[in-house]
Amino acid sequence: ALHGVSFQVPRGQITTLISANGAGKSSILRAISGLTPYTGSIIFEGQDLQRVQAHRIVGLGIAHVPEGRAIFGNLTVQENLRLATWQRRDREAIEADFERVLATFPRLRERLRQPAGTLSGGEQQMLAVGRALMSRASLLLLDEPSMGMSPRLVQELFAIIQDINRAKTTILLVEQNANLALRIASRAYVLETGMITLAGTGPELLGDPRVKAA
């Protein structure tokens, strides 16, 4: 799906990849997470991830919120959040992060003992992001977070994404809603049929007619 893709995700910023469907955005995130084999190099904090197992990649500080959320529907909201801490041993910090996630997503606090599969689509997306934050990731991979959400919830979620970034979490955002993604991104890349064809700041690409054509 991908051919010679090369790009950088600056520490502490929001970087976005935009494209039409089927261009390979999700494949890039799955490669970074260790879920899809690839040739080449993905370097994170000076380490090549190619031979690192997926669960070890999470331990290095990368969390992936996949397209479709992939929550555990038969477990409660609280159990989904706690599962993300299985590699951690810093119990006090875990409790602090748990409170931070519930403060970020108050609706999850109201539904802690509710089976995750009974949440609305927007609430499930909040749970998926909250679960990723519970791993204390320094790099958050977001795959189509706006998919299936109402316009009001999309605006709310993107405001939260910016808040997460301001709290010093680096974000790589894959998104079909190009206008919204480019508005919040410091750095942006356009992917077409498996290749990067345009790059620039979010505002630069927002006004570029070639982006609309792509």
Side-chain angles (χ1 to χ4, degrees):
L2 303 168
H3 313 282
V5 168
S6 179
F7 65 96
Q8 293 183 327
V9 180
R11 187 196 306 272
Q13 297 184 17
I14 297 176
T15 299
T16 188
L17 283 168
I18 60 172
S19 76
N21 269 336
K25 299 188 303 293
S26 294
S27 296
I28 289 174
L29 297 194
R30 288 180 59 83
I32 295 170
S33 294
L35 301 174
T36 295
Y38 59 91
T39 56
S41 297
I42 296 174
I43 308 297
F44 176 70
E45 303 286 8
Q47 181 170 351
D48 192 335
L49 300 182
Q50 188 175 37
R51 301 190 187 282
V52 183
Q53 294 172 295
H55 68 285
R56 301 288 183 200
I57 289 174
V58 176
L60 292 175
I62 298 177
H64 186 170
V65 181
E67 183 180 350
R69 297 147 196 156
I71 59 168
F72 296 96
N74 59 324
L75 301 182
T76 66
V77 167
Q78 179 165 281
E79 288 167 336
N80 269 271
L81 293 173
R82 296 287 184 184
L83 271 176
T85 68
W86 71 276
Q87 292 192 92
R88 297 177 57 181
R89 299 293 179 263
D90 48 343
R91 307 319 308 178
E92 289 186 11
I94 287 173
E95 294 311 312
D97 288 342
F98 187 65
E99 283 304 314
R100 180 168 70 101
V101 167
L102 297 183
T104 303
F105 300 107
R107 268 175 258 189
L108 297 184
R109 189 188 295 276
E110 299 167 8
R111 293 160 172 72
L112 277 177
R113 302 192 184 282
Q114 188 172 322
T118 65
L119 300 178
S120 70
E123 290 165 347
Q124 288 185 14
Q125 187 66 65
M126 292 173 186
L127 176 57
V129 175
R131 182 180 59 183
L133 294 176
M134 286 298 295
S135 69
R136 189 160 272 203
S138 55
L139 172 61
L140 185 60
L141 311 178
L142 296 174
D143 194 351
E144 302 285 6
S146 72
M147 183 175 288
M149 296 178 70
S150 70
R152 181 181 61 81
L153 278 179
V154 169
Q155 294 291 339
E156 184 179 326
L157 180 63
F158 270 66
I160 290 170
I161 290 170
Q162 289 177 284
D163 288 341
I164 292 168
N165 175 244
R166 280 191 282 267
K168 304 192 184 308
T169 300
T170 304
I171 293 174
L172 176 57
L173 170 66
V174 158
E175 180 56 59
Q176 264 192 290
N177 189 331
N179 282 332
L180 202 50
L182 292 173
R183 282 195 177 96
I184 70 168
S186 302
R187 189 74 185 158
Y189 298 89
V190 177
L191 192 67
E192 287 187 88
T193 57
M195 294 184 288
I196 301 286
T197 56
L198 289 170
T201 67
E204 284 171 352
L205 293 191
L206 190 60
D208 192 325
R210 294 173 297 172
V211 174
K212 292 180 181 178

